[in-house]
């Protein structure tokens, strides 16, 4: 039985004081409510160490939003897997559509990043998802397949078992347009199917596949109740404690 996961992707939002307050409110919630789901937050880099301190009880896992494809050295402005590991970070979001769009990340580089993350005991949260034009052209299966194949099929069975996948249709991110539970389930089931074909049914059944794209308290229940949707990667609704903790409660 896969455990549900609620992950908050804060993107480039919040000044330090506000970020700290949000973390403290989530922490208070986690200390006063029992939770059956795994909770992850991905604050911006400068706040990761504070997050490690606030969640020293490990009730919430901490994720970075990106990391370098290089190990160390003269790469101004980059952050390495080793740095993240050395401050206790648990996960790293890789391949978010905003990184693909604004920073030209591609599946080949993401494959390298995923391997580096795993070598440093960081759980990759690998994002895939089609553009609106892909869906309109009926290419949603093909696009997701290519993204999964190129970035994940070169991994060993042991490695792929440690990856979390997030299906994030780009047309649903930050737009208020959520995929219907049926649309999301269809792709989640498809992704699980190609993983079963390449690796094994057992591995496919054990991998968590999150949905991302305008998930909020009022649409989460239906999405999360789909058989192949194991939780959410949440942007906008992870930025306030009330919505985020409601999402955690829905997952329980
Ligand atoms: P959203 O973002 O919930 O604001 O649509 C999701 C994401 O980009 O991970």
């Amino acid at each position: 039985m896969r455990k549900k996961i609620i992950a908050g992707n804060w993107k480039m939002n919040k000044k330090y004081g506000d970020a700290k307050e949000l973390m403290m409110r989530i922490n208070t919630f986690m200390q006063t409510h029992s939770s059956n789901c795994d909770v992850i937050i991905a604050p911006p880099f400068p706040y990761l160490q504070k997050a490690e301190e606030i969640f020293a009880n490990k009730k919430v896992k901490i994720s970075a939003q990106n990391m370098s494809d290089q190990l160390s050295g003269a790469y101004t402005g980059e952050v390495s897997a080793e740095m993240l590991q050395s401050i206790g970070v648990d996960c790293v979001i890789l391949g978010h559509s905003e990184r693909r769009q604004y920073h030209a990340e591609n599946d080949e580089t993401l494959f390298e990043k995923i391997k580096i993350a795993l070598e440093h005991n960081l759980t990759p949260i690998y994002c895939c998802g089609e553009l609106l034009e892909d869906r309109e052209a009926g290419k949603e299966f093909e696009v997701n397949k290519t993204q999964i194949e190129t970035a994940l099929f070169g991994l060993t069975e042991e490695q792929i078992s440690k990856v979390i996948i997030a299906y994030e249709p780009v047309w649903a991110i930050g737009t208020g347009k959520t995929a219907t539970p049926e649309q999301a389930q269809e792709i989640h089931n498809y992704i699980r199917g190609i993983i079963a074909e390449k690796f094994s049914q057992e591995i496919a059944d054990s991998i968590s596949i999150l949905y991302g794209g305008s998930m909020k308290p009022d649409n989460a229940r239906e999405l999360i109740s789909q058989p192949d949707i194991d939780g959410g990667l949440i942007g906008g609704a992870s930025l306030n404690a009330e919505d985020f903790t409601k999402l955690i409660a829905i997952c329980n």
Side-chain angles (χ1 to χ4, degrees):
M1 191 51 186
R2 297 181 297 271
K3 209 170 173 188
K4 300 278 189 213
I5 299 173
I6 286 292
N9 173 13
W10 292 11
K11 308 190 180 184
M12 196 172 72
N13 289 296
K14 295 202 181 285
K15 289 194 280 187
Y16 180 58
D18 297 334
K20 210 167 60 172
E21 193 190 319
L22 177 53
M23 289 184 217
M24 283 176 354
R25 288 189 60 187
I26 297 168
N27 194 36
T28 303
F29 177 88
M30 295 302 287
Q31 280 173 331
T32 50
H33 295 75
S34 62
S35 159
N36 288 322
C37 71
D38 282 340
V39 179
I40 302 172
I41 58 163
F45 285 130
Y47 312 149
L48 288 175
Q49 190 142 23
K50 191 68 195 175
E52 288 297 338
E53 275 171 48
I54 292 179
F55 297 103
N57 55 23
K58 289 281 168 199
K59 285 186 187 288
V60 169
K61 290 186 181 154
I62 309 303
S63 178
Q65 298 175 16
N66 179 38
M67 68 172 216
S68 175
D69 60 350
Q70 300 297 321
L71 293 179
S72 68
Y75 299 98
T76 303
E78 291 293 288
V79 172
S80 71
E82 188 181 65
M83 292 173 188
L84 298 174
Q85 182 185 32
S86 71
I87 60 163
V89 168
D90 307 284
C91 312
V92 56
I93 298 174
L94 294 173
H96 191 279
S97 64
E98 287 146 19
R99 302 278 330 159
R100 293 176 188 263
Q101 186 181 353
Y102 306 126
H103 301 275
E105 292 204 356
N106 60 45
D107 297 327
E108 286 76 15
T109 318
L110 290 165
F111 174 51
E112 296 308 318
K113 286 194 181 190
I114 289 168
K115 284 187 293 183
I116 294 171
L118 290 167
E119 278 157 20
H120 292 84
N121 277 329
L122 297 165
T123 301
I125 303 175
Y126 174 65
C127 305
C128 62
E130 78 283 357
L131 303 172
L132 181 59
E133 66 211 53
D134 299 324
R135 185 163 274 268
E136 284 174 349
K139 289 190 180 155
E140 63 270 31
F141 294 101
E142 187 185 324
V143 169
N144 282 289
K145 185 171 189 208
T146 304
Q147 291 176 349
I148 296 281
E149 266 176 4
T150 318
L152 300 181
F153 277 16
L155 299 176
T156 63
E157 291 192 358
E158 197 193 332
Q159 287 173 321
I160 183 87
S161 306
K162 294 180 182 154
V163 174
I164 296 173
I165 297 172
Y167 166 59
E168 300 208 306
V170 182
W171 48 273
I173 297 179
T175 57
K177 267 192 223 163
T178 322
T180 64
E182 295 74 28
Q183 281 172 325
Q185 165 60 23
E186 189 178 35
I187 302 286
H188 281 237
N189 181 260
Y190 175 72
I191 293 172
R192 206 177 296 287
I194 56 178
I195 293 195
E197 236 171 72
K198 168 69 187 171
F199 295 95
S200 70
Q201 191 62 49
E202 196 189 340
I203 287 177
D205 287 341
S206 72
I207 280 189
S208 296
I209 310 178
L210 313 183
Y211 168 78
S214 299
M215 192 188 266
K216 305 185 239 2
D218 63 6
N219 60 24
R221 200 177 297 277
E222 248 197 299
L223 284 159
I224 288 171
S225 63
Q226 299 298 313
D228 288 297
I229 301 185
D230 302 315
L233 178 56
I234 295 128
S238 73
L239 294 174
N240 76 76
E242 208 183 316
D243 281 350
F244 192 63
T245 53
K246 269 190 198 162
L247 286 161
I248 299 169
I250 286 171
C251 247
N252 275 337

